[in-house]
mmCIF file of all heavy atoms in Angstrom:
data_model
loop_
_atom_site.group_PDB
_atom_site.id
_atom_site.type_symbol
_atom_site.label_atom_id
_atom_site.label_comp_id
_atom_site.label_asym_id
_atom_site.label_seq_id
_atom_site.Cartn_x
_atom_site.Cartn_y
_atom_site.Cartn_z
ATOM 1 N N LEU J 708 5.840 -7.678 -20.263
ATOM 2 C CA LEU J 708 4.527 -7.898 -20.778
ATOM 3 C C LEU J 708 4.074 -6.568 -21.574
ATOM 4 O O LEU J 708 4.486 -5.446 -21.174
ATOM 5 C CB LEU J 708 3.420 -8.089 -19.804
ATOM 6 C CG LEU J 708 3.645 -9.452 -18.985
ATOM 7 C CD1 LEU J 708 2.648 -9.498 -17.886
ATOM 8 C CD2 LEU J 708 3.451 -10.634 -19.945
ATOM 9 N N ARG J 709 3.367 -6.818 -22.644
ATOM 10 C CA ARG J 709 2.932 -5.779 -23.485
ATOM 11 C C ARG J 709 1.405 -5.817 -23.563
ATOM 12 O O ARG J 709 0.802 -6.822 -23.330
ATOM 13 C CB ARG J 709 3.530 -5.797 -24.841
ATOM 14 C CG ARG J 709 5.159 -5.591 -24.863
ATOM 15 C CD ARG J 709 5.492 -4.125 -24.382
ATOM 16 N NE ARG J 709 6.880 -3.974 -24.285
ATOM 17 C CZ ARG J 709 7.531 -4.068 -23.186
ATOM 18 N NH1 ARG J 709 7.052 -4.449 -22.007
ATOM 19 N NH2 ARG J 709 8.861 -3.866 -23.186
ATOM 20 N N ILE J 710 0.808 -4.698 -24.021
ATOM 21 C CA ILE J 710 -0.598 -4.534 -24.174
ATOM 22 C C ILE J 710 -1.090 -5.755 -25.155
ATOM 23 O O ILE J 710 -0.516 -5.832 -26.224
ATOM 24 C CB ILE J 710 -1.075 -3.227 -24.669
ATOM 25 C CG1 ILE J 710 -0.735 -2.260 -23.602
ATOM 26 C CG2 ILE J 710 -2.610 -3.228 -24.996
ATOM 27 C CD1 ILE J 710 -1.091 -0.741 -24.041
ATOM 28 N N GLY J 711 -2.048 -6.529 -24.799
ATOM 29 C CA GLY J 711 -2.618 -7.569 -25.668
ATOM 30 C C GLY J 711 -2.086 -8.875 -25.378
ATOM 31 O O GLY J 711 -2.605 -9.918 -25.844
ATOM 32 N N ASP J 712 -1.039 -8.973 -24.480
ATOM 33 C CA ASP J 712 -0.549 -10.302 -24.164
ATOM 34 C C ASP J 712 -1.542 -11.065 -23.290
ATOM 35 O O ASP J 712 -2.149 -10.442 -22.529
ATOM 36 C CB ASP J 712 0.805 -10.155 -23.338
ATOM 37 C CG ASP J 712 2.009 -9.835 -24.230
ATOM 38 O OD1 ASP J 712 1.842 -9.872 -25.440
ATOM 39 O OD2 ASP J 712 3.048 -9.533 -23.728
ATOM 40 N N LEU J 713 -1.534 -12.405 -23.529
ATOM 41 C CA LEU J 713 -2.408 -13.232 -22.686
ATOM 42 C C LEU J 713 -1.486 -14.041 -21.640
ATOM 43 O O LEU J 713 -0.469 -14.455 -22.032
ATOM 44 C CB LEU J 713 -3.204 -14.229 -23.548
ATOM 45 C CG LEU J 713 -4.152 -13.741 -24.503
ATOM 46 C CD1 LEU J 713 -4.714 -14.861 -25.356
ATOM 47 C CD2 LEU J 713 -5.280 -12.911 -23.885
ATOM 48 N N VAL J 714 -1.958 -13.957 -20.369
ATOM 49 C CA VAL J 714 -1.210 -14.664 -19.396
ATOM 50 C C VAL J 714 -2.108 -15.592 -18.588
ATOM 51 O O VAL J 714 -3.343 -15.282 -18.443
ATOM 52 C CB VAL J 714 -0.508 -13.724 -18.338
ATOM 53 C CG1 VAL J 714 0.566 -12.895 -19.154
ATOM 54 C CG2 VAL J 714 -1.510 -12.757 -17.672
ATOM 55 N N VAL J 715 -1.611 -16.612 -18.097
ATOM 56 C CA VAL J 715 -2.407 -17.607 -17.185
ATOM 57 C C VAL J 715 -2.077 -17.321 -15.726
ATOM 58 O O VAL J 715 -0.851 -17.239 -15.311
ATOM 59 C CB VAL J 715 -2.068 -19.055 -17.667
ATOM 60 C CG1 VAL J 715 -2.840 -20.043 -16.703
ATOM 61 C CG2 VAL J 715 -2.436 -19.299 -19.055
ATOM 62 N N CYS J 716 -3.090 -17.351 -14.950
ATOM 63 C CA CYS J 716 -2.885 -17.181 -13.508
ATOM 64 C C CYS J 716 -3.714 -18.324 -12.797
ATOM 65 O O CYS J 716 -4.848 -18.461 -13.145
ATOM 66 C CB CYS J 716 -3.293 -15.812 -12.903
ATOM 67 S SG CYS J 716 -2.163 -14.546 -13.373
ATOM 68 N N GLU J 717 -3.085 -19.050 -11.912
ATOM 69 C CA GLU J 717 -3.779 -20.086 -11.130
ATOM 70 C C GLU J 717 -3.696 -19.708 -9.681
ATOM 71 O O GLU J 717 -3.113 -18.718 -9.225
ATOM 72 C CB GLU J 717 -3.105 -21.405 -11.449
ATOM 73 C CG GLU J 717 -3.231 -21.941 -12.738
ATOM 74 C CD GLU J 717 -2.600 -23.288 -12.997
ATOM 75 O OE1 GLU J 717 -1.446 -23.431 -12.800
ATOM 76 O OE2 GLU J 717 -3.363 -24.215 -13.388
ATOM 77 N N ALA J 718 -4.319 -20.585 -8.841
ATOM 78 C CA ALA J 718 -4.432 -20.271 -7.359
ATOM 79 C C ALA J 718 -2.939 -20.087 -6.845
ATOM 80 O O ALA J 718 -2.110 -20.961 -7.119
ATOM 81 C CB ALA J 718 -5.139 -21.468 -6.707
ATOM 82 N N GLY J 719 -2.757 -19.047 -6.099
ATOM 83 C CA GLY J 719 -1.515 -18.750 -5.501
ATOM 84 C C GLY J 719 -0.654 -17.879 -6.327
ATOM 85 O O GLY J 719 0.361 -17.268 -5.915
ATOM 86 N N ASP J 720 -1.026 -17.507 -7.655
ATOM 87 C CA ASP J 720 -0.214 -16.721 -8.447
ATOM 88 C C ASP J 720 -0.634 -15.180 -8.163
ATOM 89 O O ASP J 720 -1.687 -14.827 -7.804
ATOM 90 C CB ASP J 720 -0.461 -16.895 -9.946
ATOM 91 C CG ASP J 720 0.002 -18.257 -10.397
ATOM 92 O OD1 ASP J 720 0.930 -18.850 -9.685
ATOM 93 O OD2 ASP J 720 -0.262 -18.728 -11.514
ATOM 94 N N THR J 721 0.400 -14.402 -8.310
ATOM 95 C CA THR J 721 0.216 -12.921 -8.303
ATOM 96 C C THR J 721 -0.107 -12.377 -9.710
ATOM 97 O O THR J 721 0.630 -12.779 -10.671
ATOM 98 C CB THR J 721 1.447 -12.176 -7.712
ATOM 99 O OG1 THR J 721 1.611 -12.629 -6.342
ATOM 100 C CG2 THR J 721 1.183 -10.672 -7.730
ATOM 101 N N VAL J 722 -1.161 -11.574 -9.909
ATOM 102 C CA VAL J 722 -1.498 -11.056 -11.236
ATOM 103 C C VAL J 722 -0.368 -10.235 -11.638
ATOM 104 O O VAL J 722 -0.047 -9.174 -10.910
ATOM 105 C CB VAL J 722 -2.820 -10.344 -11.097
ATOM 106 C CG1 VAL J 722 -3.179 -9.609 -12.492
ATOM 107 C CG2 VAL J 722 -3.999 -11.189 -10.685
ATOM 108 N N PRO J 723 0.352 -10.414 -12.708
ATOM 109 C CA PRO J 723 1.454 -9.789 -13.166
ATOM 110 C C PRO J 723 1.290 -8.265 -13.672
ATOM 111 O O PRO J 723 2.170 -7.494 -13.817
ATOM 112 C CB PRO J 723 2.071 -10.537 -14.260
ATOM 113 C CG PRO J 723 0.919 -11.231 -14.859
ATOM 114 C CD PRO J 723 -0.025 -11.482 -13.697
ATOM 115 N N GLY J 724 0.007 -7.955 -14.074
ATOM 116 C CA GLY J 724 -0.267 -6.564 -14.620
ATOM 117 C C GLY J 724 -1.773 -6.315 -14.771
ATOM 118 O O GLY J 724 -2.579 -7.345 -14.599
ATOM 119 N N ASP J 725 -2.132 -5.086 -14.932
ATOM 120 C CA ASP J 725 -3.599 -4.832 -15.119
ATOM 121 C C ASP J 725 -4.095 -5.497 -16.344
ATOM 122 O O ASP J 725 -3.381 -5.480 -17.414
ATOM 123 C CB ASP J 725 -3.778 -3.347 -15.241
ATOM 124 C CG ASP J 725 -3.426 -2.652 -13.964
ATOM 125 O OD1 ASP J 725 -3.061 -3.276 -12.918
ATOM 126 O OD2 ASP J 725 -3.604 -1.390 -13.904
ATOM 127 N N GLY J 726 -5.346 -5.954 -16.322
ATOM 128 C CA GLY J 726 -5.850 -6.613 -17.464
ATOM 129 C C GLY J 726 -7.334 -6.977 -17.223
ATOM 130 O O GLY J 726 -7.964 -6.689 -16.202
ATOM 131 N N ASP J 727 -7.850 -7.771 -18.236
ATOM 132 C CA ASP J 727 -9.232 -8.194 -18.167
ATOM 133 C C ASP J 727 -9.206 -9.679 -18.336
ATOM 134 O O ASP J 727 -8.466 -10.214 -19.089
ATOM 135 C CB ASP J 727 -10.130 -7.627 -19.290
ATOM 136 C CG ASP J 727 -10.282 -6.117 -19.128
ATOM 137 O OD1 ASP J 727 -10.554 -5.691 -17.928
ATOM 138 O OD2 ASP J 727 -10.267 -5.406 -20.200
ATOM 139 N N VAL J 728 -10.054 -10.350 -17.443
ATOM 140 C CA VAL J 728 -10.264 -11.810 -17.579
ATOM 141 C C VAL J 728 -10.917 -12.167 -18.831
ATOM 142 O O VAL J 728 -12.060 -11.659 -19.006
ATOM 143 C CB VAL J 728 -10.866 -12.423 -16.254
ATOM 144 C CG1 VAL J 728 -11.157 -13.864 -16.487
ATOM 145 C CG2 VAL J 728 -10.194 -12.127 -15.025
ATOM 146 N N VAL J 729 -10.387 -12.989 -19.707
ATOM 147 C CA VAL J 729 -11.055 -13.365 -20.928
ATOM 148 C C VAL J 729 -11.585 -14.773 -20.936
ATOM 149 O O VAL J 729 -12.428 -15.085 -21.773
ATOM 150 C CB VAL J 729 -10.105 -13.209 -22.201
ATOM 151 C CG1 VAL J 729 -9.759 -11.669 -22.326
ATOM 152 C CG2 VAL J 729 -8.805 -13.947 -21.979
ATOM 153 N N GLU J 730 -11.088 -15.578 -19.948
ATOM 154 C CA GLU J 730 -11.556 -16.908 -19.828
ATOM 155 C C GLU J 730 -11.465 -17.305 -18.374
ATOM 156 O O GLU J 730 -10.423 -16.979 -17.713
ATOM 157 C CB GLU J 730 -10.863 -17.891 -20.744
ATOM 158 C CG GLU J 730 -10.980 -17.721 -22.235
ATOM 159 C CD GLU J 730 -10.371 -18.844 -23.079
ATOM 160 O OE1 GLU J 730 -10.560 -20.024 -22.698
ATOM 161 O OE2 GLU J 730 -9.603 -18.581 -23.959
ATOM 162 N N GLY J 731 -12.535 -18.058 -17.889
ATOM 163 C CA GLY J 731 -12.483 -18.582 -16.635
ATOM 164 C C GLY J 731 -13.076 -17.638 -15.549
ATOM 165 O O GLY J 731 -13.527 -16.430 -15.837
ATOM 166 N N VAL J 732 -13.128 -18.105 -14.275
ATOM 167 C CA VAL J 732 -13.586 -17.384 -13.166
ATOM 168 C C VAL J 732 -12.650 -17.757 -11.913
ATOM 169 O O VAL J 732 -12.250 -18.898 -11.801
ATOM 170 C CB VAL J 732 -15.116 -17.696 -12.873
ATOM 171 C CG1 VAL J 732 -15.285 -19.125 -12.615
ATOM 172 C CG2 VAL J 732 -15.527 -16.925 -11.599
ATOM 173 N N ALA J 733 -12.373 -16.798 -11.083
ATOM 174 C CA ALA J 733 -11.510 -17.034 -9.999
ATOM 175 C C ALA J 733 -11.812 -16.147 -8.847
ATOM 176 O O ALA J 733 -12.378 -15.087 -9.032
ATOM 177 C CB ALA J 733 -10.025 -16.870 -10.394
ATOM 178 N N SER J 734 -11.466 -16.595 -7.649
ATOM 179 C CA SER J 734 -11.540 -15.693 -6.455
ATOM 180 C C SER J 734 -10.172 -14.982 -6.318
ATOM 181 O O SER J 734 -9.083 -15.584 -6.420
ATOM 182 C CB SER J 734 -11.826 -16.583 -5.253
ATOM 183 O OG SER J 734 -11.754 -15.797 -4.034
ATOM 184 N N VAL J 735 -10.194 -13.654 -6.048
ATOM 185 C CA VAL J 735 -9.046 -12.834 -6.064
ATOM 186 C C VAL J 735 -8.962 -12.111 -4.729
ATOM 187 O O VAL J 735 -9.892 -11.460 -4.326
ATOM 188 C CB VAL J 735 -8.965 -11.863 -7.319
ATOM 189 C CG1 VAL J 735 -7.704 -11.060 -7.285
ATOM 190 C CG2 VAL J 735 -9.039 -12.671 -8.514
ATOM 191 N N ASP J 736 -7.690 -12.063 -4.212
ATOM 192 C CA ASP J 736 -7.489 -11.194 -3.051
ATOM 193 C C ASP J 736 -6.969 -9.906 -3.404
ATOM 194 O O ASP J 736 -5.816 -9.763 -3.930
ATOM 195 C CB ASP J 736 -6.444 -12.009 -2.090
ATOM 196 C CG ASP J 736 -6.106 -11.173 -0.874
ATOM 197 O OD1 ASP J 736 -6.754 -10.193 -0.464
ATOM 198 O OD2 ASP J 736 -5.114 -11.560 -0.161
#
C-alpha cells in the first residue's frame, strides 16, 4: 500500500495500515 490508496474494510477485517475513514462508520477494536 502507498499513501493515498483507498482500501475497504468490513466486519472481521484487520486494518492494513494507518489512515483516515473517508466513507462509512464502523466499530473498531
Side-chain angles (χ1 to χ4, degrees):
L708 294 174
R709 295 295 178 264
I710 296 175
D712 283 351
L713 296 177
V714 296
V715 175
C716 287
E717 295 182 301
D720 290 344
T721 298
V722 177
D725 292 1
D727 294 321
V728 176
V729 295
E730 293 188 49
V732 57
S734 176
V735 179
D736 176 11

